[in-house]
Amino acid sequence: MTTNVSWMPPRRLVWIVAGIALAILAYGLWWRHAAGLLQETLIAFRSASVEQGVKANWDGMTVSGFPFRLRAKLENPSYENKLGRMSWQAKGLTVETLPWSLSQISFMAHGPQTIDLGPQLAVAGEAKESGVSLLFDGNGLPKQLDVAAKYADAELRGQDGQPIRIKGDVLAAHWRIDPEDGNAGDGRDYDAAVNGTAIVLSGVELPFGPNVQDFRLQVSLRGVPALQGVDGAMDLASWRALGAPLTIRNLTFVSGGVDVRGVGDLALGSDGTLQGQLNLTLGGFDKIVAALSAAGAIPAEAKSTLFITST
């Protein structure tokens, strides 16, 4: 005797499975819409930039990254700003963001790159990994910028035509605008930091040799006025005249047996005077004294009489 048993899933389970399937379908449609929006935004930027004296172009574009990323890959991208006398080109560029939020956008360049800043500076080089990350506030204005390059090899050429070559395992910079209030009436506030490790410089003489094992600098600018109409090649005196206090909060420099580390709030005011304090820890003091003597900052006979006591 055989008995045939047929099993029917509960109605609730059917609705759950159907709901999941509809959610996946709806998200897929939304991702496709967001991908199209990203593609249209880049194309619109390329078209609109011509009116602003900017020329942006690329040979081809593909969009991928489903399901959790939007990733547009541009082939042979180039950028030229005639007003700012700047141009840039690379072998490839990846623009990446999230499908549900465009508040953070990352740009990652691939292959050799060249940057021309007019007669002041030209840079040509390559990095294994290099990228720029932008974070926007609720008004669509940039509030944070991060730049990083790993295993970079670049050549800098200035007005004198003398090339300077830089190699580094890590070269990075961080720039944050108005962390508390993006619309401060007394000017904008900035936090900036740069750091590098295993840096080798060629074509320039450094007092402690061409190798810099570690370099870090963190500064803050408070109440910076708008810079409309101010030439980008501003000297320090002009910057101070604008009323921008500069505060050094952290400093690290390790090179050729010299180790300098500082923490504090040493401020350069708009009147050019130093205020506050920066607590320094020095290593390799004999090398520092020798470098100061070679540079003429202290008399040669003073080298044997300088000493530091610590408690």
Side-chain angles (χ1 to χ4, degrees):
M1 178 178 179
T2 59
T3 303
N4 296 326
V5 178
S6 60
W7 179 80
M8 293 291 292
R11 181 174 297 181
R12 180 178 298 179
L13 180 60
V14 172
W15 282 112
I16 291 176
V17 173
I20 294 175
L22 287 174
I24 294 174
L25 177 61
Y27 179 79
L29 292 175
W30 167 252
W31 185 94
R32 186 173 181 180
H33 168 73
L37 184 62
L38 175 62
Q39 191 171 13
E40 292 173 3
T41 301
L42 292 173
I43 295 175
F45 168 76
R46 179 174 61 179
S47 302
S49 61
V50 179
E51 302 176 358
Q52 304 173 2
V54 176
K55 183 180 179 182
N57 205 357
W58 52 83
D59 292 342
M61 175 171 53
T62 58
V63 180
S64 62
F66 184 83
F68 302 121
R69 288 287 187 272
L70 283 176
R71 191 176 297 116
K73 292 186 176 181
L74 310 180
E75 299 177 6
N76 299 318
S78 62
Y79 175 88
E80 181 179 1
N81 187 338
K82 296 182 179 180
L83 299 178
R85 302 184 298 277
M86 170 190 172
S87 64
W88 167 85
Q89 60 181 8
K91 184 177 181 180
L93 178 69
T94 299
V95 182
E96 186 172 309
T97 186
L98 300 174
W100 51 85
S101 174
L102 298 180
S103 62
Q104 184 169 359
I105 302 178
S106 298
F107 302 85
M108 291 160 284
H110 315 285
Q113 304 176 54
T114 57
I115 303 174
D116 192 342
L117 301 176
Q120 286 80 19
L121 182 64
V123 182
E126 185 173 1
K128 186 176 181 181
E129 298 177 22
S130 64
V132 177
S133 178
L134 275 171
L135 183 62
F136 296 89
D137 60 17
N139 299 319
L141 299 175
K143 68 175 183 179
Q144 184 170 307
L145 169 67
D146 290 281
V147 182
K150 294 183 179 180
Y151 307 106
D153 186 351
E155 183 178 275
L156 286 71
R157 190 179 297 271
Q159 288 181 322
D160 57 1
Q162 181 68 26
I164 299 176
R165 190 171 183 180
I166 300 178
K167 290 184 177 181
D169 285 359
V170 176
L171 299 172
H174 170 80
W175 185 260
R176 186 172 60 178
I177 305 172
D178 289 334
E180 298 296 335
D181 182 5
N183 299 306
D186 57 350
R188 300 184 68 86
D189 296 342
Y190 302 89
D191 288 327
V194 294
N195 66 277
T197 58
I199 303 171
V200 180
L201 294 171
S202 305
V204 60
E205 292 187 7
L206 295 178
F208 311 114
N211 298 323
V212 179
Q213 286 77 33
D214 193 5
F215 174 75
R216 302 172 190 273
L217 177 63
Q218 180 184 357
V219 300
S220 296
L221 297 169
R222 293 291 178 259
V224 181
L227 301 181
Q228 290 89 347
V230 178
D231 192 336
M234 224 175 4
D235 59 13
L236 182 59
S238 300
W239 177 256
R240 290 201 309 263
L242 290 173
L246 169 67
T247 301
I248 300 176
R249 302 194 181 281
N250 192 296
L251 170 67
T252 299
F253 179 80
V254 182
S255 173
V258 172
D259 190 323
V260 179
R261 302 174 189 270
V263 178
D265 288 303
L266 182 64
L268 176 65
S270 57
D271 58 354
T273 60
L274 292 174
Q275 303 171 356
Q277 64 179 11
L278 186 67
N279 300 317
L280 288 176
T281 302
L282 302 178
F285 184 70
D286 56 333
K287 298 182 183 295
I288 297 175
V289 172
L292 291 174
S293 175
I298 59 175
E301 60 272 13
K303 289 194 298 181
S304 60
T305 62
L306 284 174
F307 64 92
I308 286 183
T309 59
S310 59
T311 58

